[in-house]
Amino acid sequence: NEDTIGNVHLVGSVGNDEEGQMVQNVLEDNGVNLVLDPFENYKTTKIRAIVTDNKKPMYCHENQGLADYGPNDVDDNIWEKSDHLHMTSYDPERCVEFAEKASKEGLSISFNPTQGYFSNDFSEVIEMVDLIQMNRGESETFRDRNGSLGSVVDENNVDIVLTHGPAGSTIYSRDGIVNHSGFPDEVDNVIDTIGAGDTFMGGLLTQWLNNKELDENLKVANAYGAESVKQIGAPNFIDNENIKMILQDN
């Protein structure tokens, strides 16, 4: 895939501990531009995944405090050079602050609710973003809270992408609903689904931010997701040559 999303910075906070240093080392080794502030009085949050025979991981995390990290902690130079902000389910109030700052700077915004969505109210955030990505469980909660996906798309002028595991994905937009069935031949031998959603989102953004057609958005995103489940643990690196092969063969 020759499309890119440009120069990406990962901003946030980690604890000043062994886990925080490990996170920084892995990301730096893979060429990620980091703006991670170590906080002395906080431990790095650790999420553990329990993978069962049905390949659906269950997650648990240590209930540790999040550092008080907000948009003003991000260097002005990064904001000025940025075109897009992607957020996961950080503290709802902080997410609103980041979204407000991004809107002020003229950035588009995407949001992935993740595990924190079930126990927090992100309704204000959802009204401010341009793209939302959810899995099936998150989408069920989303519908309970906000009504049909179509009505949310129309009212907020937002694109919503649902992932269906090996069955592909669907995008709801004001231009219509588009499905892509994924690459079943590529996911016959799933090793580990941890990180597949994040990898999918990275692939999706390479297309969405470059104004590609909706079906192309999903095709490339599904290829990234399919490639990510072929290794143990969250993928540290995805070889774009493998993505090209998947796309060429399908």
Side-chain angles (χ1 to χ4, degrees):
N1 176 33
E2 296 178 354
D3 294 306
T4 68
I5 50 178
N7 191 19
V8 178
H9 286 81
L10 178 64
V11 301
S13 61
V14 293
N16 190 18
D17 50 22
E18 180 180 352
E19 289 80 10
Q21 188 59 57
M22 179 182 68
V23 168
Q24 295 181 79
N25 291 343
V26 169
L27 293 170
E28 287 173 348
D29 288 347
N30 285 281
V32 178
N33 297 306
L34 295 181
V35 189
L36 295 181
D37 294 334
F39 279 71
E40 292 288 345
N41 297 324
Y42 292 90
K43 294 182 179 180
T44 301
T45 298
K46 293 181 281 292
I47 300 176
R48 294 177 170 82
I50 303 171
V51 182
T52 58
D53 290 341
N54 65 8
K55 306 298 191 303
K56 294 181 180 179
M58 296 177 289
Y59 299 97
C60 55
H61 64 88
E62 295 185 19
N63 190 22
Q64 297 167 327
L66 290 172
D68 191 22
Y69 188 89
N72 292 331
D73 294 304
V74 181
D75 191 273
D76 288 341
N77 186 51
I78 293 177
W79 283 114
E80 292 169 1
K81 292 182 177 180
S82 296
D83 299 309
H84 183 79
L85 170 69
H86 177 66
M87 301 186 297
T88 56
S89 56
Y90 192 37
D91 176 80
E93 292 184 8
R94 287 298 184 197
C95 280
V96 170
E97 292 174 5
F98 271 100
E100 289 175 340
K101 175 67 173 179
S103 297
K104 182 179 178 181
E105 297 292 334
L107 279 63
S108 56
I109 308 169
S110 56
F111 177 60
N112 176 213
T114 68
Q115 299 296 313
Y117 182 59
F118 301 104
S119 56
N120 290 285
D121 180 11
F122 289 94
S123 56
E124 190 173 354
V125 177
I126 288 168
E127 294 176 357
M128 303 172 70
V129 302
D130 305 287
L131 174 66
I132 302 171
Q133 181 230 334
M134 298 179 284
N135 61 28
R136 183 173 61 183
E138 293 157 359
S139 69
E140 291 173 354
T141 301
F142 185 92
R143 287 186 175 98
D144 289 341
R145 294 176 178 177
N146 302 283
S148 71
L149 299 184
S151 64
V152 175
V153 167
D154 291 337
E155 291 170 8
N156 296 285
N157 192 22
V158 60
D159 291 345
I160 299 178
V161 177
L162 303 186
T163 56
H164 311 303
S169 55
T170 303
I171 185 167
Y172 295 75
S173 82
R174 296 180 71 179
D175 295 326
I177 301 173
V178 176
N179 295 287
H180 187 278
S181 59
F183 300 99
D185 291 342
E186 297 292 333
V187 295
D188 272 349
N189 297 308
V190 174
I191 295 176
D192 195 337
T193 61
I194 295 173
D198 295 319
T199 310
F200 172 96
M201 190 62 183
L204 179 71
L205 287 174
T206 67
Q207 305 302 296
W208 190 85
L209 291 174
N210 284 293
N211 298 312
K212 299 294 184 177
E213 296 294 330
L214 296 180
D215 57 347
E216 190 67 15
N217 288 345
L218 297 184
K219 182 178 181 180
V220 172
N222 283 332
Y224 273 90
E227 182 66 16
S228 74
V229 301
K230 299 177 182 179
Q231 54 187 290
I232 296 176
N236 294 337
F237 176 77
I238 296 293
D239 189 339
N240 278 337
E241 291 302 315
N242 292 343
I243 300 300
K244 289 180 181 179
M245 291 178 61
I246 293 175
L247 296 174
Q248 290 171 358
D249 293 342
N250 296 274

